[in-house]
Amino acid sequence: MVGKRWGLAATGVGTALLLSGCGEDFTRGFMPEPVTEVGPTVIGFWNATWIAALVIGVLVWGLILWSVFAYRRRSDKDLPTQFRYHVPLEILYTVVPIFMVAALFGKTIEVQNDMLAREENPDVVVNVVGKKWSWDFNYVNEDVYVTGTQANGLNEGEPGLRETLPTMVLPVDSRVEFVLTSRDVIHSFWVPQFLQKLDMVPGRVNIFQVTTTEEGRFDGKCAELCGAYHSEMLFNVEVVPQAEYDAFVEGLRSSGQTGQLGQDLDQYELQLDQQDRLVDPDEGFVRDGDLTDDDGR
């Protein structure tokens, strides 16, 4: 009897721990834990869209079930009305979706603007270059670089593989700008904990900024099918204190990794974008002083 009670108690404790662990994931909509300033905004919008979708789903399912039971055939001679209209319900089905789509569109633009907002003088500027099938990181202001190689043997589960991946080190509580370019085909820069990704198109430049809020080590990967070894196009991200970041930069200098890996390694020429931003032909990315938009920012 005592053993049974202990078993029930252990089961209860285990269930409680399981539910408590799932609770935090549930409140995030089962999204990764955000480590950037805009991350909570993305999660809030994600959860709101799911709640709206569930409310509409319950309404539609309810109306379908009500119609099935209210207008079912009750006897062989009792044939229900085959045609009937309901003006208020038809107005509901017409007007409400219009307002819903408009609200969803407006909120999407608002969140997108927050995710793509840029400050004039970010703390760190990293030119992230995608290549088959790895990454190069040019630290623009510090004039150093990191070059990577493909994660060979990933599918074989070789130990120590993670340590061979290119690592992007960033300071915590800092505004970081990613200038995205590609050497060959379309890639996509994605760190799941950033809750944000952007394509890297040959001959073009895409830019976004994040503000780091949490220290830690995170996985990065290509999110665009880019060829036979797309799954092995991985990298590490380490968000560290400023002093550790400074030491990392000095380590690159002392190892001779100074300068920038330029456009001469690309397979395609870099083109001017639609806003005619100027491009440095030697380094292959937009210079800070040339970043302007229609408002002059």
Side-chain angles (χ1 to χ4, degrees):
M1 190 67 177
V2 175
K4 184 177 182 180
R5 290 178 180 176
W6 277 107
L8 291 174
T11 302
V13 171
T15 303
L17 290 175
L18 180 62
L19 292 176
S20 64
C22 293
E24 186 176 349
D25 292 337
F26 181 77
T27 56
R28 293 199 308 266
F30 298 97
M31 296 281 278
E33 184 176 356
V35 295
T36 62
E37 194 174 69
V38 77
T41 301
V42 177
I43 287 179
F45 181 54
W46 169 262
N47 288 340
T49 55
W50 272 107
I51 292 172
L54 288 173
V55 169
I56 296 303
V58 170
L59 174 62
V60 172
W61 297 333
L63 290 174
I64 290 174
L65 293 175
W66 173 71
S67 300
V68 169
F69 288 101
Y71 297 104
R72 70 185 186 280
R73 184 170 183 171
R74 293 176 172 81
S75 67
D76 293 339
K77 297 181 179 180
D78 182 16
L79 188 66
T81 303
Q82 298 300 295
F83 179 79
R84 179 175 293 182
Y85 60 89
H86 191 288
V87 174
L89 191 59
E90 292 175 4
I91 294 176
L92 175 72
Y93 266 146
T94 304
V95 176
V96 172
I98 293 176
F99 282 105
M100 288 185 59
V101 171
L104 183 62
F105 176 79
K107 189 61 179 178
T108 300
I109 295 299
E110 179 182 333
V111 174
Q112 179 178 279
N113 289 339
D114 289 341
M115 297 173 69
L116 297 179
R118 298 207 305 269
E119 297 180 1
E120 290 186 3
N121 298 304
D123 300 306
V124 179
V125 178
V126 184
N127 171 219
V128 182
V129 187
K131 60 184 182 181
K132 295 188 296 185
W133 283 273
S134 191
W135 309 82
D136 293 335
F137 305 131
N138 286 318
Y139 289 83
V140 180
N141 298 333
E142 295 81 358
D143 198 35
V144 295
Y145 68 86
V146 173
T147 185
T149 57
Q150 180 182 333
N152 290 318
L154 175 68
N155 297 327
E156 286 74 24
E158 294 182 2
L161 181 63
R162 184 185 181 100
E163 285 67 27
T164 68
L165 300 177
T167 298
M168 178 193 299
V169 178
L170 304 172
V172 72
D173 297 323
S174 301
R175 189 70 175 177
V176 181
E177 178 172 282
F178 299 111
V179 181
L180 308 180
T181 58
S182 171
R183 298 207 188 282
D184 34 54
V185 299
I186 296 179
H187 302 286
S188 187
F189 176 75
W190 185 34
V191 181
Q193 281 79 7
F194 287 0
L195 298 182
Q196 187 171 354
K197 63 184 178 68
L198 200 60
D199 281 354
M200 313 166 79
V201 182
R204 313 298 297 185
V205 175
N206 285 331
I207 302 173
F208 76 94
Q209 295 181 356
V210 301
T211 299
T212 56
T213 58
E214 300 286 341
E215 296 180 19
R217 192 176 190 183
F218 313 106
D219 295 330
K221 60 189 71 179
C222 176
E224 185 77 32
L225 183 59
C226 56
Y229 299 99
H230 161 72
S231 64
E232 298 183 355
M233 190 170 172
L234 308 174
F235 64 96
N236 299 319
V237 176
E238 292 185 6
V239 181
V240 299
Q242 184 65 46
E244 191 171 335
Y245 172 76
D246 294 337
F248 164 76
V249 172
E250 289 303 320
L252 291 178
R253 288 199 180 102
S254 62
S255 64
Q257 292 175 249
T258 57
Q260 306 281 272
L261 298 173
Q263 186 185 352
D264 55 303
L265 300 175
D266 297 350
Q267 295 183 12
Y268 303 95
E269 294 182 0
L270 199 65
Q271 306 293 323
L272 293 175
D273 65 14
Q274 295 178 354
Q275 295 178 348
D276 293 330
R277 293 179 182 145
L278 298 177
V279 177
D280 190 311
D282 296 324
E283 297 183 343
F285 52 80
V286 180
R287 301 297 301 177
D288 291 343
D290 303 322
L291 292 180
T292 58
D293 56 21
D294 294 337
D295 299 326
R297 293 180 292 175

